[in-house]
Amino acid sequence: MSRVRAKPLHGDKTVTQPRRAVVREVGLRDGLQSISTVLPTARKKEWIRDAHAAGQREIEVGSFVPARLLPQLADTAELVAYAKTLPGLVVSVLVPNLRGAESAIDAQADVMLVPLSASHAHSLANLRRTPDEVVAEVAKMRALRDAAGSKTLIEGGVGTAFGCTLQGEVAAVEVLRCMQALLDAGADRVSLADTVGYANPAAVLRLFEQARAIAGERLCCGHFHDTRGLALANVYAALQTGVDRFDATLAGIGGCPHAPGASGNAASEDLAFLLEDMGIATGIDLHRLLALRHKVAAWLQGEVLHGTLWRAGLPKTFAPTA
Amino acid sequence: MSRVRAKPLHGDKTVTQPRRAVVREVGLRDGLQSISTVLPTARKKEWIRDAHAAGQREIEVGSFVPARLLPQLADTAELVAYAKTLPGLVVSVLVPNLRGAESAIDAQADVMLVPLSASHAHSLANLRRTPDEVVAEVAKMRALRDAAGSKTLIEGGVGTAFGCTLQGEVAAVEVLRCMQALLDAGADRVSLADTVGYANPAAVLRLFEQARAIAGERLCCGHFHDTRGLALANVYAALQTGVDRFDATLAGIGGCPHAPGASGNAASEDLAFLLEDMGIATGIDLHRLLALRHKVAAWLQGEVLHGTLWRAGLPKTFAPTA
């Protein structure tokens, strides 16, 4: 990962920031699974195609969960197959268990994201397993993947990393223990998620710094919800620790089951603007991404959408980063 | 200003943040001047009273401009008199010219904020003066203030510090020149404003660092508009340069004349949450501030309001900073 010394801080210090960063689109998974509109497969393909045309190179297209649980994501295999026809696109899927991993490997997804909740209460409520049971499942996924000679990367996503609406506090030491356990079990890389919008920039700086000390470059992504308006401030803090990949959903779709009407993830278009405007290249053409947002917003009429750039437009002074 | 070393960064570095910070409420001025609802004086007093009861200790109550230009702020003198009856409240007003300064001195406002636009185009369009003409006016204000034996502080607010919707780029060197000229002309302190929402955290860090090198502790405040969703990220960046006062408007009212429906300033309640949650004391009781937001929102029915905390609520883990 290349870095550039960005600007002097306090005279004698500097803050580093990556030269490039990835806005990983998770709207088709984290977004669509949380809203009531069911998007037809043809429109999902159009979304993926347009996002790719706008320069997005990593997209989570769905989740291999039983269709009876999330019927809106039942077309995941077809979407993986379609997405893999687009040049240079890294196609990821969420898999909650070994059966999902099998599907991901069969579909030849580039990345499978395995969620683990560091909050035991949240883990039992949402995944019906303890964190350590998820770790054991990851070990089996790794064995399966290796036995199949598959190239699908396993990413362990540690959620509720900054607190939990059920349990309250989630100790950093437990978050880091889970992360280490995922790596030990064979995850190729790990990410940290503020699942419920409890993080603040100081907490992000602290936890990502500690996580990085353990995982190094294998700490690959930050996933921030904008429930309390801090997603972009949290991204900025995480950037200072060297993280260079962030999940986001177009128009901030997704919401939060615990806060009706609240934002979902960071809005992809706002995040891309933040990065590009700070001189961090994303490869994204913001005009095309805003055009896609406009299209998707029309498809999702009646849903609460978020984000700010679509309304304000780009600054007169804006120039994309090369 | 006391500082605390907050947490390790990159192992060998630390990021400092102030122990305390001020959320200066400018909703009664910057907010109300930009929306169509005219709030009756009695309600403005109730707002000021409740904000004070919620722990806010700095409030910009209005502007001494001709009533024909801003009829919604015509009661500024009465509001200053009322606000000064509340113990420990620092009462500020905006003054565009010498006549306004005279009114502020007569009213015994604690602070008068003199806006200067570093963009020549914006300065001519909004203030009908060049930046240097504003500087000359500040020198007269200082003479007037000193001759009157008044204690009213003069704050020079350098606006369009990160760019301008009319002119585009505003050179940092010109922003800093204007700031220095204000200090030389007798301003007691200065602040920097992203009037049109063009700032990003990297630009904030750079400019505030440079400004602080010139003005030291006399650089007293950051004023960020949330037009593109970056106000809180920008506050977080400015905090790292040691700034410990930020303007904000309750419910983010204010908007942007160049972007219909866009946010105004950072929302006071979201900003206070950001600070308190990071361990920076504001003296604000967030429950009381949210109750006030609820009340003001009812008064401003039909206006576009902003902010996120009111909807999501405080995290289960939240504890105010002592």
Side-chain angles (χ1 to χ4, degrees):
Chain A
M1 219 181 318
S2 66
R3 297 271 201 301
V4 58
R5 298 201 145 216
K7 57 257 154 188
L9 176 64
H10 291 272
D12 61 332
K13 295 183 206 163
T14 56
V15 167
T16 53
Q17 65 179 28
R19 283 182 193 279
R20 296 173 204 293
V22 174
V23 176
R24 182 164 67 180
E25 180 62 49
V26 299
L28 290 133
R29 199 275 303 165
D30 203 359
L32 294 182
Q33 79 174 39
S34 313
I35 64 177
S36 57
T37 305
V38 177
L39 215 55
T41 304
R43 288 195 158 164
K44 292 186 185 181
K45 287 183 183 173
E46 192 173 342
W47 181 345
I48 294 167
R49 187 197 65 196
D50 284 10
H52 178 265
Q56 291 198 276
R57 287 295 175 267
E58 303 200 13
I59 304 181
E60 196 164 285
V61 299
S63 182
F64 282 117
V65 289
R68 65 183 159 76
L69 292 181
L70 284 175
Q72 59 270 56
L73 304 187
D75 53 5
T76 296
E78 185 175 346
L79 294 175
V80 172
Y82 172 71
K84 284 184 65 70
T85 66
L86 299 171
L89 185 60
V90 177
V91 184
S92 67
V93 290
L94 185 140
V95 301
N97 51 33
L98 194 62
R99 179 168 301 195
E102 213 173 310
S103 301
I105 290 166
D106 286 350
Q108 298 181 44
D110 297 302
V111 180
M112 52 182 164
L113 185 290
V114 190
L116 174 152
S117 191
S119 154
H120 286 236
H122 189 268
S123 188
L124 291 172
N126 274 43
L127 305 169
R128 297 179 186 279
R129 294 185 184 171
T130 65
D132 289 315
E133 286 168 347
V134 174
V135 168
E137 193 88 347
V138 166
K140 291 181 196 162
M141 292 180 192
R142 175 62 187 258
L144 182 74
R145 192 269 311 262
D146 290 352
S150 155
K151 290 180 180 164
T152 303
L153 289 174
I154 301 170
E155 177 176 327
V158 183
T160 60
F162 295 88
C164 166
T165 46
L166 301 173
Q167 175 178 313
E169 297 281 354
V170 176
V173 66
E174 176 63 3
V175 174
L176 298 170
R177 185 191 73 80
C178 290
M179 196 187 75
Q180 181 66 66
L182 285 167
L183 291 168
D184 292 345
D188 300 291
R189 57 195 206 181
V190 287
S191 47
L192 292 175
D194 177 26
T195 313
V196 296
Y198 271 25
N200 69 52
V204 167
L205 204 53
R206 210 157 40 222
L207 187 62
F208 273 77
E209 194 60 39
Q210 293 173 315
R212 206 163 167 82
I214 293 172
E217 302 275 318
R218 291 181 297 169
L219 173 61
C220 73
C221 187
H223 176 108
F224 298 109
H225 279 251
D226 200 35
T227 321
R228 289 167 186 83
L230 301 186
L232 295 183
N234 291 336
V235 164
Y236 175 64
L239 276 170
Q240 294 180 32
T241 72
V243 176
D244 63 355
R245 181 182 286 103
F246 300 96
D247 285 346
T249 62
L250 198 66
I253 63 167
C256 173
H258 308 286
S263 287
N265 289 72
S268 305
E269 64 277 20
D270 287 12
L271 172 56
F273 167 67
L274 167 70
L275 295 167
E276 288 281 328
D277 203 51
M278 290 204 302
I280 300 172
T282 66
I284 290 172
D285 178 329
L286 275 165
H287 296 284
R288 295 184 89 154
L289 193 62
L290 285 170
L292 174 57
R293 188 210 190 270
H294 187 72
K295 187 187 277 190
V296 171
W299 294 342
L300 299 180
Q301 268 184 16
E303 302 289 350
V304 180
L305 304 182
H306 304 278
T308 59
L309 188 69
W310 70 277
R311 200 192 293 267
L314 289 164
K316 197 170 191 168
T317 50
F318 177 77
T321 299
Chain B
M1 219 180 316
S2 67
R3 298 269 202 298
V4 59
R5 297 200 146 217
K7 57 258 152 188
L9 176 64
H10 289 274
D12 62 334
K13 295 186 208 164
T14 56
V15 167
T16 54
Q17 65 179 29
R19 283 182 193 280
R20 295 173 205 292
V22 174
V23 177
R24 181 162 67 179
E25 179 60 50
V26 299
L28 290 131
R29 199 276 303 165
D30 204 358
L32 293 182
Q33 80 174 37
S34 312
I35 63 178
S36 56
T37 305
V38 177
L39 215 54
T41 305
R43 288 195 159 165
K44 292 186 184 178
K45 287 183 182 173
E46 193 174 340
W47 181 345
I48 293 167
R49 186 198 66 196
D50 284 10
H52 179 265
Q56 290 197 278
R57 287 295 175 270
E58 303 201 15
I59 303 180
E60 196 163 285
V61 299
S63 181
F64 281 118
V65 289
R68 68 183 157 74
L69 292 181
L70 284 176
Q72 58 270 57
L73 303 186
D75 53 5
T76 295
E78 186 176 345
L79 294 176
V80 173
Y82 172 72
K84 284 185 62 71
T85 66
L86 299 172
L89 185 60
V90 177
V91 183
S92 68
V93 291
L94 186 140
V95 301
N97 52 31
L98 194 61
R99 180 169 298 195
E102 213 174 312
S103 301
I105 291 168
D106 286 349
Q108 298 181 43
D110 296 304
V111 180
M112 51 184 167
L113 186 290
V114 191
L116 175 152
S117 192
S119 154
H120 286 234
H122 189 268
S123 188
L124 291 172
N126 273 41
L127 305 168
R128 297 178 185 283
R129 298 188 181 165
T130 66
D132 289 314
E133 286 168 346
V134 174
V135 168
E137 193 88 346
V138 166
K140 290 181 196 163
M141 292 180 191
R142 174 61 185 257
L144 181 75
R145 192 272 306 265
D146 290 352
S150 156
K151 289 179 180 162
T152 302
L153 289 174
I154 301 169
E155 178 175 326
V158 183
T160 60
F162 295 89
C164 167
T165 47
L166 301 172
Q167 176 178 311
E169 297 281 353
V170 176
V173 66
E174 176 63 4
V175 174
L176 298 170
R177 185 192 72 80
C178 290
M179 196 188 73
Q180 181 68 65
L182 284 167
L183 291 169
D184 293 344
D188 300 293
R189 58 195 206 181
V190 288
S191 47
L192 293 175
D194 177 27
T195 311
V196 296
Y198 271 27
N200 69 52
V204 167
L205 205 54
R206 209 157 40 223
L207 187 62
F208 272 77
E209 195 60 38
Q210 292 172 313
R212 205 163 169 82
I214 293 172
E217 302 274 320
R218 291 180 297 170
L219 174 62
C220 74
C221 188
H223 176 109
F224 298 108
H225 278 251
D226 199 36
T227 320
R228 289 168 185 81
L230 300 186
L232 295 183
N234 291 335
V235 164
Y236 175 64
L239 276 170
Q240 294 180 31
T241 72
V243 176
D244 63 356
R245 181 182 285 102
F246 301 95
D247 286 345
T249 63
L250 197 67
I253 64 168
C256 174
H258 309 286
S263 287
N265 288 75
S268 305
E269 63 277 20
D270 287 11
L271 172 56
F273 166 66
L274 167 70
L275 296 167
E276 289 280 329
D277 204 52
M278 288 204 303
I280 301 172
T282 65
I284 291 172
D285 178 329
L286 274 165
H287 296 285
R288 295 183 88 154
L289 193 63
L290 286 171
L292 174 58
R293 188 210 190 271
H294 186 74
K295 188 188 277 191
V296 170
W299 294 342
L300 299 180
Q301 267 184 17
E303 302 289 351
V304 180
L305 304 182
H306 305 278
T308 58
L309 187 68
W310 70 276
R311 200 192 295 266
L314 289 163
K316 199 170 190 169
T317 49
F318 177 77
T321 300

